[in-house]
Amino acid sequence: MDFTSLILLLMAALGIISSNTPITIAMIVLLLIRVLHLHQLFPWLEKYGLTVGIIILTIGVMTPLASGKMSLQTIGESFLNWKSLLAIAVGMLVAYLGGRGATLMSMNPTVVAGLLIGTVLGVALLRGVPVGPLIAAGILSLLIGKT
């Protein structure tokens, strides 16, 4: 077994140990792509995987609005509550950091491995969710002064 597959297997094991199904499934899918010699999928996943993931995440977040569980009135009232206004500001900040992170990751690929490993470990060991690499890269870009 090659070293890369061993790392994916180790990350899948971390997912299993921490009962984190998304990380386990992601690592097993990537491992299967390697084992089944479907390497032609990797460039597509590298190019579009993040976009597809963000689309699916956005669909999940917007479903209460689309299904009618969240009314237009509720959304309008969110502009009158300080917690909701703070949530809007934090959402804007996170989107900004994600944009900076995407730029940093594309311009400085040497940090990508550390960010990904840190995110997987955070998901596996701290019960986080794997949305962190872009935001982590955005925070890193603020710390190291990259735009």
Side-chain angles (χ1 to χ4, degrees), residues 53-72 75 78:
I54 290 170
I55 290 168
I56 292 170
L57 183 62
T58 303
I59 289 169
V61 169
M62 295 302 292
T63 297
L65 177 65
S67 70
K69 289 183 181 176
M70 183 184 299
S71 69
L72 200 53
I75 294 170
S78 71

Side-chain angles (χ1 to χ4, degrees), residues 21-50:
T21 305
I23 211 65
T24 304
I25 292 171
M27 295 305 119
I28 289 173
V29 166
L30 291 171
L31 188 59
L32 282 172
I33 290 171
R34 286 185 64 77
V35 169
L36 297 174
H37 302 289
L38 300 172
H39 297 278
Q40 68 272 17
L41 291 176
F42 287 130
W44 187 90
L45 287 171
E46 285 179 34
K47 186 173 183 179
Y48 300 110
L50 184 61

Side-chain angles (χ1 to χ4, degrees), residues 3-117:
F3 187 67
T4 302
S5 295
L6 190 59
I7 291 172
L8 292 171
L9 197 56
L10 178 65
M11 297 290 191
L14 280 173
I16 292 168
I17 290 167
S18 64
S19 301
N20 194 303
T21 305
I23 211 65
T24 304
I25 292 171
M27 295 305 119
I28 289 173
V29 166
L30 291 171
L31 188 59
L32 282 172
I33 290 171
R34 286 185 64 77
V35 169
L36 297 174
H37 302 289
L38 300 172
H39 297 278
Q40 68 272 17
L41 291 176
F42 287 130
W44 187 90
L45 287 171
E46 285 179 34
K47 186 173 183 179
Y48 300 110
L50 184 61
T51 301
V52 170
I54 290 170
I55 290 168
I56 292 170
L57 183 62
T58 303
I59 289 169
V61 169
M62 295 302 292
T63 297
L65 177 65
S67 70
K69 289 183 181 176
M70 183 184 299
S71 69
L72 200 53
Q73 179 182 355
T74 303
I75 294 170
E77 289 172 356
S78 71
F79 290 98
L80 304 174
N81 181 312
W82 72 270
K83 290 179 184 177
S84 295
L85 289 171
L86 185 59
I88 291 167
V90 169
M92 291 172 62
L93 175 63
V94 168
Y96 169 73
L97 289 173
R100 283 184 65 110
T103 301
L104 177 69
M105 290 173 76
S106 66
M107 294 175 63
N108 194 350
T110 58
V111 300
V112 173
L115 291 167
L116 295 179
I117 290 169

